[in-house]
Each structure stands twice: as C-alpha cells, then as structure tokens.
Amino acid sequence: MIPLSWYLLLSATLFCLGIVGFLVRRNLITIFMSIELMLNGVNLSFVTFAHQWHLVKGQIFVFFVMVVAAAEAAVGLAIIIAIFRARATLAVDRIDLMKL
Amino acid sequence: MHLILFIVFAGLCLAGALNLLLQKHPINSALSLVVVMTSLAVLYLLLGAEFLAAAQIIVYAGAIMVLFTFVIMLLNAGREERTLGSKAAVALGFPAVAAILAVIATVILKAQDLGSVSLSDGITSTEELSRVLFHELLLPFEVTSVLILIAILGAVSLARKGHGDQEAGK
C-alpha cells in the first residue's frame, strides 16, 4: 500500500523540475524538453486521480494530452529548425529580434 | 513488492529529471528524458493504467524522443554557454520554484482523505477505456485527428527549405 500523496508529490516535483529547466537552461531544445517534462508530471497526477476515483476519463485526458504533446513536438521542432536556418544559433539569448 | 517497484522507479524518474537539468549537452538531456518517460510508464502500470503505459512508451519514449534526438543531431547542437540571463534566471528562478513546490506539497500533505494505492485494486481494462473513448468522447477524438493533420501540415510548411532563405534574403 502506497499513500496516494507520494504519487502526487512525485508529480509536483517533476513539474517543478520542469519549470526550473525552462527558466535556467539556455538551449532552445533543452527548454522544449523541460516543457515535455512538465506535461509528464501533470499526466502522472491525472492517472493517480483516475485510479483513486475509478474513473476512466482521467486516463482519456492523459491520452489527449499525449496527442497534443506529439503535435506540439512536431510543430515546435519545425519552428526550431526554421529559427536555426535563419539565425544559425540555438541559444535563446541570441534570438532577440522581437525584443524592445 | 509494490513499494520496492515504486521507490526504484520514482527514484529513477527523479534522477533522470535532475540529470536533464544538470547535463550541459542536449543529447545527454534527451537520453535522461527517455529514462524519465520509461520509468513513468512503469508507474502508470502500478496505477492500473496499462494502455497508457504502452502509449507512454510508444508515443513519448519512442516517437517524440526520436524526433528530439533527430533534431539535436541534425542541428549539431553543442554545449550551451553561461550568460548574464542564465545567472539571473538561476538567482531568481530557484527560490521562486522552491516556493511553488512548497505550496503544492503543503496542499497535498494537508489533504486528509487521499487514501492509498494498492496493486490489487484492479487494472482498468482497455475495453472500458475504449468504450468511453469511442462512444461518449467520439467527437473530441475525431477533432484530435484534425489537430494532428494541421500539425503535420504546419510542421511541413515550417521546416520546408526556402522558408528560412526567404527570411534571410529580405
């Protein structure tokens, strides 16, 4: 028997590690991977609550999150390739064309 | 048994996530993200979500991470450098995120009637999941297929050769 809160704490920790990665890392691809990490953390809490209340809809929500994440990864990586073609860098500090 | 499995794979999960942050090279971060996703699949299995465990491995650890490693190798991404912005992000980001984590953890730990997970609670059958997905939620499911189609078209048109050259030529 494992307390449900352990799963939720793990999920919160994964989400927060994702935020840290998003803020601290300076590489465009690593920032994108941190976003995937945050999505995974949220998915874990969805599955945990779906288990607790014996509702299958929580799992279906995770399925939809996976679909959206796949679409997002495809479009995001295409944008990263386009940026790299135009600017020849992946460092977010150098991609500042729209900065005031 | 359940406890051992949980501790091993939760530990792997956290270690992978930390490694993602600490590694300097993107390819190492991508490989540690694969570890995170695979151990999450085992945790889904412990929670009785067998279909999601399979989908997690196939979609996330398989398709999405292959896409990531492909792009990292295609663009020949190197080590990232420290800049002024990253120092500011470290100084401001860590306390802020620690505060967020503290708030969430307090909320979770204060909740009294959360209950616990046992392995014998039964696995949600894929049959039940598909019945809900294809009867009640058929319209959202079909809409996601349109979403995927739009994503494919968008990815192709964005990554097409000549798009970036046009921008550079202006």
Side-chain angles (χ1 to χ4, degrees), chain A residues 64, chain B residues 132-146:
Chain A
F64 282 126
Chain B
V132 177
L133 185 62
F134 290 118
H135 279 139
E136 285 180 55
L137 300 170
L138 188 62
L139 183 66
F141 181 76
E142 294 296 336
V143 170
T144 49
S145 65
V146 179

Side-chain angles (χ1 to χ4, degrees), chain B residues 16-41:
Chain B
L18 274 176
N19 199 36
L20 189 152
L21 298 184
L22 296 177
Q23 290 291 338
K24 285 280 158 285
H25 202 284
I27 198 84
N28 297 336
S29 300
L31 293 179
S32 43
L33 195 54
V34 174
V35 173
V36 173
M37 283 162 176
T38 316
S39 33
L40 269 179

Side-chain angles (χ1 to χ4, degrees), chain B residues 52-68:
Chain B
L52 283 180
Q56 171 89 2
I57 288 186
I58 295 170
V59 175
Y60 262 122
I64 294 183
M65 290 322 293
V66 165
L67 203 60
F68 268 101

Side-chain angles (χ1 to χ4, degrees), chain B residues 53-132:
Chain B
Q56 171 89 2
I57 288 186
I58 295 170
V59 175
Y60 262 122
I64 294 183
M65 290 322 293
V66 165
L67 203 60
F68 268 101
T69 42
F70 172 74
V71 169
I72 290 170
M73 292 188 168
L74 178 73
L75 301 184
N76 200 13
R79 302 165 65 90
E80 63 179 63
E81 68 249 38
R82 292 256 159 265
T83 57
L84 192 68
S86 75
K87 280 174 195 148
V90 169
L92 285 174
F94 273 110
V97 175
I100 294 174
L101 183 60
V103 169
I104 300 176
T106 325
V107 170
I108 290 170
L109 291 177
K110 269 198 172 173
Q112 293 296 325
D113 50 348
L114 275 178
S116 59
V117 174
S118 68
L119 210 52
S120 58
D121 268 7
I123 284 178
T124 318
S125 67
T126 310
E127 191 191 339
E128 190 189 341
L129 194 133
S130 58
R131 194 172 295 128
V132 177

Side-chain angles (χ1 to χ4, degrees), chain A residues 1-2 4 10 21 23 25-27 32-33 36 40 43 51-52 56-57 59 66 69 79 85 93-94, chain B residues 6 20-21 23 37 43-44 47 56 60 68 80-81 83 89 114-118 124 129 136 159:
Chain A
M1 298 283 278
I2 295 172
L4 203 73
L10 176 66
L23 290 173
R25 301 303 301 266
R26 294 288 112 185
N27 190 308
F32 208 51
M33 285 194 277
E36 297 290 330
N40 272 288
N43 279 353
H51 177 90
Q52 188 198 10
V56 84
K57 280 193 180 156
Q59 296 188 12
M66 276 181 190
I79 291 175
R85 280 226 189 92
D93 292 318
R94 301 231 183 101
Chain B
F6 175 81
L20 189 152
L21 298 184
Q23 290 291 338
M37 283 162 176
L43 292 182
Y44 289 170
L47 285 168
Q56 171 89 2
Y60 262 122
F68 268 101
E80 63 179 63
E81 68 249 38
T83 57
L114 275 178
S116 59
V117 174
S118 68
T124 318
L129 194 133
E136 285 180 55

